[in-house]
Amino acid sequence: MRITVLAGGVGGSRFVRGVREECARRWPDPSTGSGRRGEGGTVASVTVIVNTGDDIWLSGVRLMPDFDSLLYSLAGVNDTERGWGRAGETERVSAELREWGVGWPWFTLGDLDLGTHLARTAWLRDGLTPSQVGERLQRRWPLGVRLIPATDTEVDTHVLVADPEASGSEDGSGSGSGTGEREMHFQEWWTRYRATLPALAFRQRNLAEARPAPGVVEAIADADLVLIAPSNPVVSIGTILAVPGMREALAATAAPVVGVSPIIGGKVVRGMADACLPAIGVETSAEAVGRHYGFRRDGGLLDAWLVDETDAAAAAALSAEGLLAASAPLWMHDLDRSADLAGAAIDLGTTARSA
Ligand code: GDP
Ligand code: CA
Protein backbone atom coordinates (compact mmCIF):
# COMPACT_ATOMS: atom_id res chain seq x y z
CA MET A 1 0.00 0.00 0.00
CA ARG A 2 1.45 3.34 -1.05
CA ILE A 3 -0.25 6.38 0.46
CA THR A 4 0.58 9.96 -0.46
CA VAL A 5 -0.69 12.76 1.77
CA LEU A 6 -0.87 16.51 1.06
CA ALA A 7 -0.43 18.31 4.38
CA GLY A 8 0.22 21.51 6.30
CA GLY A 9 1.78 21.82 9.74
CA VAL A 10 -0.25 21.27 12.88
CA GLY A 11 -3.45 19.70 11.48
CA GLY A 12 -1.26 17.88 8.99
CA SER A 13 0.97 16.44 11.73
CA ARG A 14 -1.90 15.03 13.74
CA PHE A 15 -3.37 13.46 10.64
CA VAL A 16 -0.10 12.01 9.36
CA ARG A 17 0.65 10.48 12.77
CA GLY A 18 -2.78 8.86 12.52
CA VAL A 19 -2.03 7.56 9.02
CA ARG A 20 1.29 6.10 10.18
CA GLU A 21 -0.40 4.43 13.16
CA GLU A 22 -3.28 3.04 11.11
CA CYS A 23 -0.83 1.64 8.54
CA ALA A 24 1.09 -0.11 11.32
CA ARG A 25 -2.19 -1.69 12.46
CA ARG A 26 -3.45 -2.74 9.02
CA TRP A 27 -0.18 -3.61 7.35
CA PRO A 28 2.29 -4.36 10.16
CA ASP A 29 5.92 -5.04 9.37
CA PRO A 30 6.63 -8.36 11.09
CA SER A 31 10.36 -7.57 11.32
CA THR A 32 9.83 -4.46 13.44
CA GLY A 33 7.53 -3.58 16.25
CA SER A 34 7.09 -4.90 19.70
CA GLY A 35 3.35 -5.13 19.34
CA ARG A 36 3.02 -2.12 21.52
CA ARG A 37 0.92 0.73 20.30
CA GLY A 38 2.62 3.15 17.99
CA GLU A 39 5.93 1.31 18.01
CA GLY A 40 5.42 -1.10 15.17
CA GLY A 41 6.56 -0.42 11.65
CA THR A 42 4.53 -0.95 8.53
CA VAL A 43 5.09 -2.43 5.11
CA ALA A 44 2.91 0.32 3.69
CA SER A 45 4.80 3.37 2.49
CA VAL A 46 3.61 6.84 3.32
CA THR A 47 4.87 9.97 1.52
CA VAL A 48 3.88 13.43 2.69
CA ILE A 49 3.93 16.39 0.32
CA VAL A 50 4.46 19.33 2.64
CA ASN A 51 3.26 22.91 2.30
CA THR A 52 6.12 25.37 1.80
CA GLY A 53 4.03 28.56 1.63
CA ASP A 54 4.74 29.47 5.27
CA ASP A 55 8.52 29.32 4.72
CA ILE A 56 10.52 32.47 5.36
CA TRP A 57 14.00 33.93 5.65
CA LEU A 58 14.27 35.46 9.12
CA SER A 59 17.32 36.47 11.17
CA GLY A 60 19.53 35.11 8.42
CA VAL A 61 18.12 31.60 8.49
CA ARG A 62 15.57 29.71 6.45
CA LEU A 63 12.48 28.56 8.34
CA MET A 64 10.21 25.83 6.99
CA PRO A 65 7.54 25.74 9.71
CA ASP A 66 5.20 23.11 8.31
CA PHE A 67 8.04 20.77 7.39
CA ASP A 68 9.51 21.14 10.88
CA SER A 69 6.12 20.62 12.57
CA LEU A 70 5.79 17.30 10.76
CA LEU A 71 9.43 16.40 11.42
CA TYR A 72 9.27 17.09 15.17
CA SER A 73 5.85 15.55 15.61
CA LEU A 74 6.65 12.31 13.76
CA ALA A 75 9.97 12.08 15.59
CA GLY A 76 8.16 12.54 18.91
CA VAL A 77 10.33 15.52 19.90
CA ASN A 78 7.57 18.10 19.57
CA ASP A 79 6.05 20.19 22.34
CA THR A 80 2.63 18.62 22.83
CA GLU A 81 1.45 21.26 25.32
CA ARG A 82 2.08 24.32 23.18
CA GLY A 83 1.20 22.43 20.01
CA TRP A 84 4.25 23.57 18.05
CA GLY A 85 8.04 23.60 18.24
CA ARG A 86 10.39 21.35 20.21
CA ALA A 87 9.80 19.86 23.65
CA GLY A 88 12.05 21.22 26.38
CA GLU A 89 12.70 24.38 24.40
CA THR A 90 14.57 27.45 25.69
CA GLU A 91 14.76 30.90 24.14
CA ARG A 92 18.15 32.33 25.04
CA VAL A 93 19.29 33.04 21.49
CA SER A 94 16.00 34.72 20.67
CA ALA A 95 16.49 37.08 23.62
CA GLU A 96 19.95 37.98 22.31
CA LEU A 97 18.62 38.57 18.80
CA ARG A 98 16.04 40.91 20.26
CA GLU A 99 18.84 42.86 22.00
CA TRP A 100 20.61 43.16 18.66
CA GLY A 101 17.40 44.25 16.96
CA VAL A 102 17.58 41.37 14.53
CA GLY A 103 14.49 39.51 13.33
CA TRP A 104 10.97 40.08 14.53
CA PRO A 105 10.56 40.73 18.28
CA TRP A 106 7.11 39.13 18.21
CA PHE A 107 8.37 35.98 16.53
CA THR A 108 10.29 33.83 18.98
CA LEU A 109 12.64 31.16 17.72
CA GLY A 110 13.50 28.46 20.22
CA ASP A 111 17.14 27.49 20.68
CA LEU A 112 16.66 23.86 19.59
CA ASP A 113 14.52 25.02 16.70
CA LEU A 114 17.25 27.48 15.69
CA GLY A 115 19.64 24.53 15.56
CA THR A 116 17.43 23.03 12.85
CA HIS A 117 17.28 26.32 10.96
CA LEU A 118 21.05 26.77 11.13
CA ALA A 119 21.63 23.23 9.87
CA ARG A 120 19.17 23.79 7.04
CA THR A 121 20.70 27.14 6.10
CA ALA A 122 24.22 25.69 6.19
CA TRP A 123 23.20 22.94 3.78
CA LEU A 124 21.37 25.39 1.52
CA ARG A 125 24.55 27.46 1.40
CA ASP A 126 26.48 24.34 0.47
CA GLY A 127 24.23 24.17 -2.58
CA LEU A 128 21.67 21.57 -1.53
CA THR A 129 18.08 22.09 -2.60
CA PRO A 130 15.32 22.35 0.04
CA SER A 131 14.17 18.82 -0.75
CA GLN A 132 17.74 17.50 -0.38
CA VAL A 133 17.99 19.36 2.91
CA GLY A 134 14.66 17.86 3.94
CA GLU A 135 16.02 14.41 3.21
CA ARG A 136 19.04 15.07 5.45
CA LEU A 137 16.92 16.45 8.27
CA GLN A 138 14.76 13.35 8.40
CA ARG A 139 17.74 10.99 8.56
CA ARG A 140 18.14 11.92 12.20
CA TRP A 141 15.00 10.15 13.39
CA PRO A 142 13.19 7.06 12.10
CA LEU A 143 9.98 8.80 11.05
CA GLY A 144 8.36 5.86 9.29
CA VAL A 145 7.14 8.21 6.55
CA ARG A 146 8.90 10.24 3.88
CA LEU A 147 8.49 14.03 3.87
CA ILE A 148 8.99 16.03 0.66
CA PRO A 149 8.55 19.80 0.42
CA ALA A 150 5.97 20.52 -2.27
CA THR A 151 8.48 22.56 -4.25
CA ASP A 152 12.15 23.58 -4.14
CA THR A 153 11.25 27.10 -5.31
CA GLU A 154 10.74 29.72 -2.60
CA VAL A 155 7.04 30.43 -2.97
CA ASP A 156 6.55 32.24 0.37
CA THR A 157 2.93 33.30 0.77
CA HIS A 158 2.20 37.02 1.09
CA VAL A 159 -1.10 38.44 2.26
CA LEU A 160 -2.76 41.51 0.81
CA VAL A 161 -4.57 43.31 3.61
CA ALA A 162 -6.85 46.31 3.70
CA ASP A 163 -5.03 49.09 5.52
CA PRO A 164 -6.37 52.64 5.37
CA GLU A 165 -3.10 53.90 6.91
CA ALA A 166 -0.94 52.29 4.27
CA SER A 167 1.32 54.47 2.18
CA GLY A 168 3.72 51.68 1.33
CA SER A 169 4.81 48.44 2.90
CA GLU A 170 6.91 48.51 6.04
CA ASP A 171 9.82 46.55 4.67
CA GLY A 172 9.66 48.19 1.27
CA SER A 173 9.13 44.88 -0.48
CA GLY A 174 5.35 44.90 -0.59
CA SER A 175 3.02 46.43 -3.09
CA GLY A 176 1.35 49.04 -0.89
CA SER A 177 1.21 52.40 -2.62
CA GLY A 178 -1.22 54.57 -0.73
CA THR A 179 -4.08 52.56 -2.14
CA GLY A 180 -5.26 51.47 1.28
CA GLU A 181 -3.76 48.04 0.76
CA ARG A 182 -0.61 46.49 2.08
CA GLU A 183 1.17 43.25 1.40
CA MET A 184 3.06 41.39 4.10
CA HIS A 185 4.58 37.97 4.58
CA PHE A 186 2.06 35.40 5.72
CA GLN A 187 4.00 34.88 8.97
CA GLU A 188 3.72 38.55 9.88
CA TRP A 189 -0.03 38.53 9.24
CA TRP A 190 -0.52 35.26 11.11
CA THR A 191 1.79 35.77 14.07
CA ARG A 192 2.01 39.51 14.61
CA TYR A 193 -1.59 40.39 13.73
CA ARG A 194 -3.09 36.99 14.65
CA ALA A 195 -4.87 37.12 11.27
CA THR A 196 -7.07 39.99 12.52
CA LEU A 197 -6.36 42.29 9.55
CA PRO A 198 -8.91 41.26 6.93
CA ALA A 199 -7.14 39.42 4.12
CA LEU A 200 -8.03 40.49 0.59
CA ALA A 201 -5.86 37.95 -1.21
CA PHE A 202 -3.07 35.44 -0.75
CA ARG A 203 -0.20 35.53 -3.19
CA GLN A 204 2.65 33.09 -3.53
CA ARG A 205 5.95 34.44 -4.74
CA ASN A 206 7.77 32.97 -7.75
CA LEU A 207 4.86 30.67 -8.55
CA ALA A 208 5.25 30.87 -12.32
CA GLU A 209 8.72 29.35 -12.18
CA ALA A 210 7.93 26.82 -9.43
CA ARG A 211 7.75 23.10 -10.12
CA PRO A 212 6.92 20.19 -7.83
CA ALA A 213 10.07 19.06 -6.00
CA PRO A 214 11.77 15.87 -7.27
CA GLY A 215 9.74 12.85 -6.20
CA VAL A 216 6.45 14.71 -5.77
CA VAL A 217 4.86 13.91 -9.11
CA GLU A 218 6.09 10.31 -8.85
CA ALA A 219 4.64 9.97 -5.34
CA ILE A 220 1.25 11.06 -6.69
CA ALA A 221 1.43 8.96 -9.85
CA ASP A 222 2.62 5.77 -8.10
CA ALA A 223 0.27 6.03 -5.11
CA ASP A 224 -2.51 3.57 -4.37
CA LEU A 225 -4.28 6.31 -2.44
CA VAL A 226 -3.91 10.09 -2.19
CA LEU A 227 -5.17 11.79 0.98
CA ILE A 228 -5.77 15.51 1.44
CA ALA A 229 -5.15 16.15 5.15
CA PRO A 230 -7.57 18.27 7.21
CA SER A 231 -5.22 21.23 6.81
CA ASN A 232 -5.87 24.87 6.03
CA PRO A 233 -7.56 24.75 2.60
CA VAL A 234 -6.17 28.15 1.59
CA VAL A 235 -2.64 28.63 2.87
CA SER A 236 -1.62 24.97 3.30
CA ILE A 237 -3.42 22.80 0.73
CA GLY A 238 -4.13 25.80 -1.52
CA THR A 239 -0.44 26.63 -1.76
CA ILE A 240 0.55 23.05 -2.56
CA LEU A 241 -2.10 22.93 -5.31
CA ALA A 242 -0.95 26.27 -6.73
CA VAL A 243 2.45 24.87 -7.71
CA PRO A 244 2.31 24.45 -11.48
CA GLY A 245 2.12 20.76 -12.37
CA MET A 246 0.55 19.71 -9.08
CA ARG A 247 -3.08 19.71 -10.21
CA GLU A 248 -2.12 17.95 -13.43
CA ALA A 249 -0.38 15.21 -11.43
CA LEU A 250 -3.44 14.79 -9.20
CA ALA A 251 -5.79 14.73 -12.19
CA ALA A 252 -3.67 12.06 -13.86
CA THR A 253 -3.16 9.62 -11.00
CA ALA A 254 -5.02 6.32 -11.05
CA ALA A 255 -5.22 6.45 -7.26
CA PRO A 256 -8.40 7.68 -5.61
CA VAL A 257 -8.06 11.12 -4.04
CA VAL A 258 -9.82 11.38 -0.68
CA GLY A 259 -10.11 14.67 1.20
CA VAL A 260 -10.74 15.13 4.93
CA SER A 261 -12.56 18.25 6.09
CA PRO A 262 -10.69 20.67 8.36
CA ILE A 263 -14.04 22.28 9.16
CA ILE A 264 -16.34 20.70 11.73
CA GLY A 265 -19.83 22.07 12.33
CA GLY A 266 -19.05 25.32 10.52
CA LYS A 267 -15.93 26.00 12.60
CA VAL A 268 -12.22 25.55 12.20
CA VAL A 269 -11.26 23.30 15.04
CA ARG A 270 -7.75 24.57 15.62
CA GLY A 271 -6.10 27.52 14.03
CA MET A 272 -7.45 30.46 12.13
CA ALA A 273 -8.42 29.08 8.75
CA ASP A 274 -11.71 30.97 9.01
CA ALA A 275 -9.65 34.13 8.50
CA CYS A 276 -8.44 32.73 5.16
CA LEU A 277 -11.54 31.23 3.56
CA PRO A 278 -13.46 34.54 3.11
CA ALA A 279 -10.54 35.97 1.11
CA ILE A 280 -11.11 33.32 -1.53
CA GLY A 281 -14.89 33.56 -1.28
CA VAL A 282 -15.47 30.22 0.39
CA GLU A 283 -17.87 29.77 3.29
CA THR A 284 -16.51 28.17 6.47
CA SER A 285 -18.35 24.88 6.16
CA ALA A 286 -17.40 21.29 5.39
CA GLU A 287 -19.65 21.27 2.35
CA ALA A 288 -18.27 24.53 0.92
CA VAL A 289 -14.65 23.39 1.33
CA GLY A 290 -15.49 20.07 -0.38
CA ARG A 291 -17.11 21.95 -3.26
CA HIS A 292 -14.16 24.35 -3.37
CA TYR A 293 -11.74 21.43 -3.86
CA GLY A 294 -14.23 20.07 -6.38
CA PHE A 295 -14.79 16.54 -7.57
CA ARG A 296 -12.69 14.89 -10.27
CA ARG A 297 -15.86 13.95 -12.10
CA ASP A 298 -16.34 17.70 -12.72
CA GLY A 299 -12.67 18.58 -13.28
CA GLY A 300 -11.88 19.08 -9.57
CA LEU A 301 -9.56 17.38 -7.14
CA LEU A 302 -11.53 14.80 -5.16
CA ASP A 303 -12.96 11.36 -5.67
CA ALA A 304 -14.38 11.40 -2.16
CA TRP A 305 -14.89 13.83 0.73
CA LEU A 306 -14.97 12.90 4.39
CA VAL A 307 -16.83 15.15 6.83
CA ASP A 308 -17.53 14.98 10.54
CA GLU A 309 -20.63 13.22 11.88
CA THR A 310 -22.11 16.59 12.82
CA ASP A 311 -21.90 17.48 9.12
CA ALA A 312 -23.73 14.35 7.94
CA ALA A 313 -26.21 16.61 6.12
CA ALA A 314 -23.35 17.94 3.97
CA ALA A 315 -22.39 14.37 3.05
CA ALA A 316 -26.02 13.64 2.20
CA ALA A 317 -26.29 16.76 0.01
CA LEU A 318 -23.19 15.79 -1.95
CA SER A 319 -24.29 12.14 -2.20
CA ALA A 320 -27.63 13.27 -3.61
CA GLU A 321 -25.65 14.70 -6.52
CA GLY A 322 -23.95 11.36 -7.08
CA LEU A 323 -20.71 12.48 -5.42
CA LEU A 324 -18.95 10.20 -2.95
CA ALA A 325 -19.07 11.67 0.55
CA ALA A 326 -19.21 10.10 3.99
CA SER A 327 -19.13 11.13 7.61
CA ALA A 328 -16.98 9.91 10.51
CA PRO A 329 -15.63 11.42 13.76
CA LEU A 330 -13.05 13.97 12.59
CA TRP A 331 -11.75 15.32 15.90
CA MET A 332 -8.13 14.22 16.30
CA HIS A 333 -8.00 14.38 20.09
CA ASP A 334 -5.44 11.63 20.46
CA LEU A 335 -3.48 9.11 18.42
CA ASP A 336 -6.26 6.50 18.55
CA ARG A 337 -8.80 8.89 17.14
CA SER A 338 -6.38 10.19 14.51
CA ALA A 339 -5.73 6.58 13.46
CA ASP A 340 -9.46 5.82 13.29
CA LEU A 341 -9.93 8.91 11.14
CA ALA A 342 -7.12 7.77 8.85
CA GLY A 343 -8.82 4.36 8.69
CA ALA A 344 -12.11 5.95 7.64
CA ALA A 345 -10.29 7.87 4.89
CA ILE A 346 -8.51 4.71 3.71
CA ASP A 347 -11.84 2.83 3.64
CA LEU A 348 -13.44 5.64 1.67
CA GLY A 349 -10.58 5.30 -0.83
CA THR A 350 -11.43 1.62 -1.22
CA THR A 351 -15.07 2.54 -1.86
CA ALA A 352 -13.97 5.15 -4.42
CA ARG A 353 -11.76 2.62 -6.20
CA SER A 354 -14.59 0.12 -6.60
CA ALA A 355 -17.15 2.78 -7.54
P1 GDP B 1 -0.95 24.82 10.20
O1 GDP B 1 0.02 24.73 9.06
O2 GDP B 1 -0.31 24.73 11.52
O3 GDP B 1 -1.94 25.93 10.04
O4 GDP B 1 -1.77 23.49 10.12
P2 GDP B 1 -2.59 22.86 8.95
O5 GDP B 1 -2.76 23.74 7.77
O6 GDP B 1 -2.07 21.49 8.71
O7 GDP B 1 -3.98 22.64 9.66
C1 GDP B 1 -4.72 23.69 10.21
C2 GDP B 1 -6.17 23.24 10.15
O8 GDP B 1 -6.29 21.94 10.69
C3 GDP B 1 -7.07 24.08 10.99
O9 GDP B 1 -7.58 25.11 10.20
C4 GDP B 1 -8.17 23.13 11.44
O10 GDP B 1 -9.34 23.39 10.71
C5 GDP B 1 -7.62 21.75 11.09
N1 GDP B 1 -7.60 20.86 12.23
C6 GDP B 1 -6.86 20.98 13.36
N2 GDP B 1 -7.18 20.01 14.25
C7 GDP B 1 -8.13 19.24 13.66
C8 GDP B 1 -8.89 18.09 14.07
O11 GDP B 1 -8.74 17.57 15.18
N3 GDP B 1 -9.79 17.58 13.16
C9 GDP B 1 -9.99 18.14 11.92
N4 GDP B 1 -10.88 17.58 11.09
N5 GDP B 1 -9.32 19.24 11.52
C10 GDP B 1 -8.40 19.77 12.37
CA1 CA C 1 1.36 26.21 8.32
Side-chain angles (χ1 to χ4, degrees):
M1 186 70 177
R2 289 158 301 183
I3 300 179
T4 296
V5 188
L6 273 54
V10 175
S13 298
R14 281 175 191 262
F15 183 69
V16 171
R17 287 191 62 198
V19 171
R20 180 179 67 177
E21 175 67 15
E22 184 64 14
C23 284
R25 291 176 186 178
R26 291 191 184 207
W27 304 286
D29 180 352
S31 69
T32 64
S34 56
R36 273 195 285 151
R37 203 187 76 173
E39 292 191 1
T42 176
V43 293
S45 69
V46 179
T47 302
V48 185
I49 297 169
V50 183
N51 173 41
T52 58
D54 301 4
D55 299 0
I56 186 169
W57 283 99
L58 193 65
S59 302
V61 291
R62 185 70 174 155
L63 316 189
M64 297 182 71
D66 287 2
F67 188 95
D68 290 349
S69 289
L70 281 152
L71 179 72
Y72 298 157
S73 166
L74 290 162
V77 299
N78 57 315
D79 186 326
T80 51
E81 306 234 314
R82 256 190 332 185
W84 53 275
R86 292 282 298 266
E89 189 60 288
T90 50
E91 291 170 0
R92 296 191 67 195
V93 177
S94 228
E96 278 297 293
L97 288 172
R98 215 166 288 139
E99 290 298 323
W100 290 116
V102 167
W104 287 336
W106 35 267
F107 196 93
T108 299
L109 295 168
D111 297 332
L112 297 174
D113 203 23
L114 267 165
T116 308
H117 307 325
L118 284 171
R120 173 169 30 240
T121 305
W123 287 326
L124 288 172
R125 290 201 154 214
D126 286 346
L128 269 63
T129 61
S131 55
Q132 289 168 338
V133 169
E135 206 184 303
R136 285 217 186 163
L137 288 171
Q138 57 196 298
R139 278 186 210 156
R140 181 167 170 191
W141 296 287
L143 302 185
V145 314
R146 184 166 64 119
L147 306 177
I148 316 180
T151 176
D152 279 335
T153 306
E154 294 180 4
V155 293
D156 305 16
T157 300
H158 285 67
V159 189
L160 185 68
V161 298
D163 183 357
E165 311 274 297
S167 59
S169 74
E170 278 178 7
D171 62 358
S173 68
S175 69
S177 55
T179 56
E181 293 177 354
R182 188 152 67 96
E183 202 170 286
M184 64 180 75
H185 193 285
F186 169 76
Q187 293 292 358
E188 182 175 3
W189 179 71
W190 193 254
T191 311
R192 182 180 190 181
Y193 297 103
R194 310 296 304 162
T196 51
L197 296 177
L200 303 174
F202 295 92
R203 294 173 179 161
Q204 284 81 28
R205 295 277 159 95
N206 309 316
L207 254 194
E209 71 207 50
R211 293 292 171 271
V216 167
V217 169
E218 293 79 357
I220 294 171
D222 299 342
D224 298 307
L225 174 64
V226 175
L227 298 174
I228 312 296
S231 288
N232 188 311
V234 186
V235 295
S236 292
I237 304 299
T239 305
I240 297 174
L241 296 175
V243 175
M246 200 67 80
R247 281 190 184 270
E248 290 80 353
L250 288 158
T253 184
V257 178
V258 177
V260 179
S261 176
I263 308 296
I264 298 179
K267 290 197 175 67
V268 290
V269 282
R270 292 185 184 87
M272 303 177 282
D274 50 345
C276 303
L277 285 166
I280 61 161
V282 176
E283 185 195 321
T284 304
S285 79
E287 183 175 343
V289 172
R291 290 190 191 277
H292 166 65
Y293 286 150
F295 283 75
R296 264 216 268 195
R297 193 189 74 179
D298 312 316
L301 178 67
L302 304 169
D303 293 297
W305 184 233
L306 190 60
V307 303
D308 188 67
E309 287 172 320
T310 60
D311 294 311
L318 293 165
S319 301
E321 294 173 29
L323 303 166
L324 184 57
S327 60
L330 293 201
W331 268 103
M332 300 183 285
H333 288 298
D334 52 35
L335 184 58
D336 269 332
R337 273 176 275 197
S338 298
D340 290 346
L341 165 53
I346 292 168
D347 288 342
L348 196 53
T350 308
T351 309
R353 205 175 291 116
S354 58

